Amino acid sequence: MEFINEKVLIIALFILIIHCIETLAYSVRISGARVRLIASGLALFNLMVIISRLANMMQQPFTGSLIDTAPTTDTLQFVENQYRVIIGASTLGTILGILLLPTFIALFSRAIIHLSNTDGSIPLLVKKGLSVEYFKRMLKHLHLPKFTYLKGISIKDIPIKLFIINMLITSIYTIGVLSALYASLIAPERASTAIMASGLINGIATILLVIFIDPKVSVLADNVVNKRGSYISLKAISIMMVASRLLGTLLAQVFFIPGAKYVA
């Protein structure tokens, strides 16, 4: 287990936080529909997505440095083991996000109302969110998911095609950077080209999310506010999204090496 060092653990923690934030972002639309402030909820959702994307960009140089410090013997296996730990951290981060989902639905509902009351001032919202009083309120709302949360939801409420698409896109996004970096080891004569491909892969995955996933969930949230759809349906879709996201991070373990060979 010598491949697990301090640097790997720090990167894994970073990845865990990123995927936890991205999972919690799904709860913003539920909160927006709950308080009937979709536009304000969307502003908060965009903020979380930007933070997670920025954090993902920041970790890339550190993840790449694992290749630079890898031993000269059995390098491929050593780096693969390290990267699989990092992929595993994305799964743990998603699980943590799922566990915190009910808590953050309650918190985001209040945050959206505060954002609306402050005329859309994100700095004022952040200032309020970092106050001692707000932290005390957060602890009061802290609770784990219960089976009653699934009440009224049936399998027919879950679009299978959307479930599979989200799972596949999540798996690609999870390993985009890692597969490209690993490809530079497989094809060292094309290392620079392989590494630069990471931005393209993640960019395509992000575009696919924007085209196929985000609009459908946003329309459902609008339908709830306009009383053309049910809150249960929106909740079912959101649960489906986080479940498919979790499976996507597990599928990333399968796609990791084939993806790297494809890039190479």
Side-chain angles (χ1 to χ4, degrees):
M1 299 289 283
E2 61 183 31
F3 59 87
I4 301 179
N5 52 37
E6 185 179 352
K7 186 184 286 187
V8 172
L9 292 175
I10 291 172
I11 295 170
L13 179 61
F14 214 175
I15 295 294
L16 185 147
I17 294 170
I18 290 169
H19 281 264
C20 181
I21 291 172
E22 293 192 346
T23 303
L24 290 173
Y26 288 117
S27 66
V28 178
R29 287 193 183 92
I30 299 179
S31 300
R34 193 178 182 183
V35 297
R36 300 190 178 280
L37 292 168
I38 291 296
S40 297
L42 187 60
L44 190 59
F45 173 80
N46 289 336
L47 176 65
M48 292 190 66
V49 169
I50 289 170
I51 289 171
S52 66
R53 295 290 187 270
L54 179 62
N56 195 41
M57 287 173 63
M58 288 172 62
Q59 61 85 21
Q60 290 179 22
F62 300 101
T63 308
S65 69
L66 293 176
I67 292 176
D68 298 331
T69 56
T72 53
T73 56
D74 205 18
T75 306
L76 285 173
Q77 188 61 51
F78 188 87
V79 174
E80 179 186 340
N81 291 338
Q82 289 184 321
Y83 281 6
R84 288 199 182 279
V85 170
I86 293 171
I87 296 170
S90 69
T91 303
L92 291 177
T94 304
I95 292 171
L96 180 61
I98 292 171
L99 293 175
L100 293 174
L101 211 58
T103 300
F104 274 81
I105 288 173
L107 292 175
F108 285 147
S109 297
R110 284 154 183 79
I112 290 168
I113 293 171
H114 288 315
L115 183 63
S116 179
N117 292 337
T118 57
D119 296 326
S121 175
I122 293 293
L124 283 176
L125 179 66
V126 172
K127 182 180 178 182
K128 188 159 191 153
L130 295 176
S131 64
V132 176
E133 182 185 352
Y134 197 82
F135 270 107
K136 288 180 180 178
R137 286 183 184 177
M138 184 176 71
L139 292 174
K140 287 181 182 178
H141 292 292
L142 189 64
H143 59 276
L144 295 174
K146 298 178 181 177
F147 282 108
T148 53
Y149 191 74
L150 301 175
K151 188 177 179 181
I153 297 174
S154 63
I155 298 296
K156 65 180 181 180
D157 294 323
I158 298 173
I160 302 300
K161 188 183 291 185
L162 199 64
F163 184 95
I164 295 172
I165 290 172
N166 190 53
M167 182 174 67
L168 291 173
I169 294 173
T170 299
S171 65
I172 294 169
Y173 178 77
T174 302
I175 59 154
V177 173
L178 300 177
S179 288
L181 289 171
Y182 194 78
S184 68
L185 286 176
I186 299 174
E189 71 282 1
R190 294 285 184 269
S192 299
T193 308
I195 291 170
M196 292 303 291
S198 64
L200 177 64
I201 296 167
N202 275 4
I204 291 171
T206 302
I207 290 169
L208 290 174
L209 281 172
V210 171
I211 292 174
F212 292 107
I213 307 299
D214 290 345
K216 288 188 177 292
V217 183
S218 296
V219 168
L220 278 170
D222 282 339
N223 288 341
V224 172
V225 174
N226 296 321
K227 297 181 180 179
R228 291 198 302 264
S230 67
Y231 182 75
I232 294 293
S233 297
L234 178 61
K235 196 164 67 170
I237 289 290
S238 299
I239 291 172
M240 176 275 292
M241 296 290 281
V242 295
S244 64
R245 180 179 178 82
L246 177 60
L247 291 176
T249 61
L250 294 171
L251 190 62
Q253 295 280 8
V254 178
F255 285 171
F256 170 49
I257 295 300
K261 289 179 178 179
Y262 180 78
V263 173

